[in-house]
Amino acid sequence: MSGVSLAVAPRSEPAGSDETTTTKLQGKPLQQEGVTGGVMGSLRVIELQLVAFIMVFSASGLIPLLDIVFPAFATAYLIALSRFAFPSRCRIATGTSSPEIFQGSRLFRFYVVVGTTLGLFLPLAYVLGGFARGDEHAVRSATPHLFLLSFQILTENIISGLSLFSPPVRALVPLLYTVRRIFVIIDWIQDVWLNKTLPANAVLQDIAWFWFGRGLAAANFVYFSINLFGFLIPRFLPRAFERYFSEKDEVHAKIEEDKYSVAMNKSKQSDKKAD
């Protein structure tokens, strides 16, 4: 997915591919699978589902104002970075979207699947189960995390297909959202570990549900902390900057080559006129 995709390489087309260019010109959707393509299925369907999630969460009154404002701030900041700090070089060099930032192995794909399950599917089941059980505390504690994760996935999916955004800007999407979600998950942990207690006469089903909520919050904190400090910062972000400056060098080399070609053509034309 993302965010869990978290940092997984955005979708892309190989640079300089004639087939890719032809497909774009014909207006046909390009069928390519990124690191998480097989996990998430049809991107269009998922984007519609995420929009639905976001609308429902926003209207539920369960999302703090700060978390509602954060996606707008993050989007404006990313657009500013793409315009003033890290403008895209890929459009100039190849005319296509940037290639994938990080190519994952099978083990990495399994890591992504685990993150998808812990970050999206199980919390969604927890929220829906909270609605079914009338457990408003569970719903309120996990919903902000789902809201921000849904926005993160939607943002990553949108900008990964736009050449407007350079690799550093694309890499900052999961980084910004993951940092914010870790603080949200800490609040979630506080809710289920400190502010929620079991009644003395709780049945086995209530006990299992109580510890499921606690375990899920703790597992999300561990996973996304490892993802942030063990992958996004030390590996994913440097790889994005490395690719960006490599593209920048290619652009400069192409400009110099074009200048040399123009100068040679002018020289040949002058020699012909002299003859």
Side-chain angles (χ1 to χ4, degrees):
M1 83 183 210
S2 244
V4 187
S5 115
L6 260 178
V8 170
R11 305 180 319 281
S12 62
E13 301 84 13
S17 170
D18 293 336
E19 183 179 351
T20 298
T21 306
T22 302
T23 306
K24 282 190 171 185
L25 291 175
Q26 292 174 346
K28 296 178 181 178
L30 185 62
Q31 300 291 329
Q32 286 200 351
E33 183 178 51
V35 176
T36 56
V39 179
M40 296 306 292
S42 172
L43 178 61
R44 296 291 181 184
V45 174
I46 291 168
E47 286 178 347
L48 291 174
Q49 291 174 341
L50 291 175
V51 170
F53 280 148
I54 290 168
M55 293 179 66
V56 171
F57 291 152
S58 300
S60 66
L62 300 173
I63 312 299
L65 180 60
L66 178 60
D67 293 331
I68 293 177
V69 172
F70 179 82
F73 163 77
T75 301
Y77 181 62
L78 292 170
I79 292 174
L81 286 178
S82 68
R83 177 66 179 85
F84 301 108
F86 305 109
S88 178
R89 309 284 179 180
C90 189
R91 289 178 300 171
I92 302 173
T94 65
T96 62
S97 298
S98 298
E100 289 185 356
I101 297 174
F102 190 87
Q103 297 285 347
S105 62
R106 288 186 177 181
L107 180 61
F108 183 75
R109 295 187 186 190
F110 175 74
Y111 167 78
V112 171
V113 171
V114 172
T116 304
T117 304
L118 285 177
L120 181 65
F121 297 138
L122 290 181
L124 183 59
Y126 183 64
V127 169
L128 295 177
F131 275 117
R133 296 172 59 88
D135 187 351
E136 295 183 3
H137 191 277
V139 174
R140 186 173 297 275
S141 61
T143 298
H145 160 74
L146 274 176
F147 172 79
L148 290 173
L149 186 56
S150 298
F151 240 115
Q152 177 184 336
I153 298 169
L154 183 62
T155 303
E156 287 185 16
N157 286 339
I158 290 174
I159 74 168
S160 64
L162 299 176
S163 58
L164 170 67
F165 298 96
S166 61
V169 176
R170 288 159 48 196
L172 283 171
V173 175
L175 189 64
L176 288 175
Y177 275 93
T178 302
V179 169
R180 175 57 196 159
R181 282 192 299 102
I182 285 179
F183 286 100
V184 170
I185 293 172
I186 290 175
D187 291 338
W188 180 8
I189 290 176
Q190 182 178 354
D191 282 343
V192 295
W193 281 85
L194 300 179
N195 300 336
K196 187 177 182 180
T197 57
L198 273 173
N201 58 345
V203 297
L204 180 61
Q205 187 177 7
D206 292 334
I207 296 175
W209 175 255
F210 176 78
W211 283 103
F212 171 66
R214 282 189 165 188
L216 184 60
N220 270 273
F221 177 76
V222 171
Y223 178 90
F224 288 110
S225 296
I226 292 174
N227 186 77
L228 176 64
F229 296 107
F231 174 68
L232 288 178
I233 294 176
R235 298 197 62 189
F236 190 63
L237 193 61
R239 184 74 60 87
F241 278 101
E242 179 183 350
R243 186 172 295 278
Y244 177 73
F245 288 112
S246 174
E247 291 174 357
K248 185 177 180 180
D249 292 340
E250 290 176 7
V251 170
H252 287 312
K254 183 175 177 58
I255 292 174
E256 293 299 324
E257 183 181 346
D258 291 341
K259 287 181 179 179
Y260 178 77
S261 298
V262 170
M264 289 296 294
N265 289 334
K266 287 183 178 180
S267 177
K268 289 179 180 179
Q269 291 175 1
S270 299
D271 292 342
K272 287 181 180 179
K273 288 179 180 180
D275 294 338

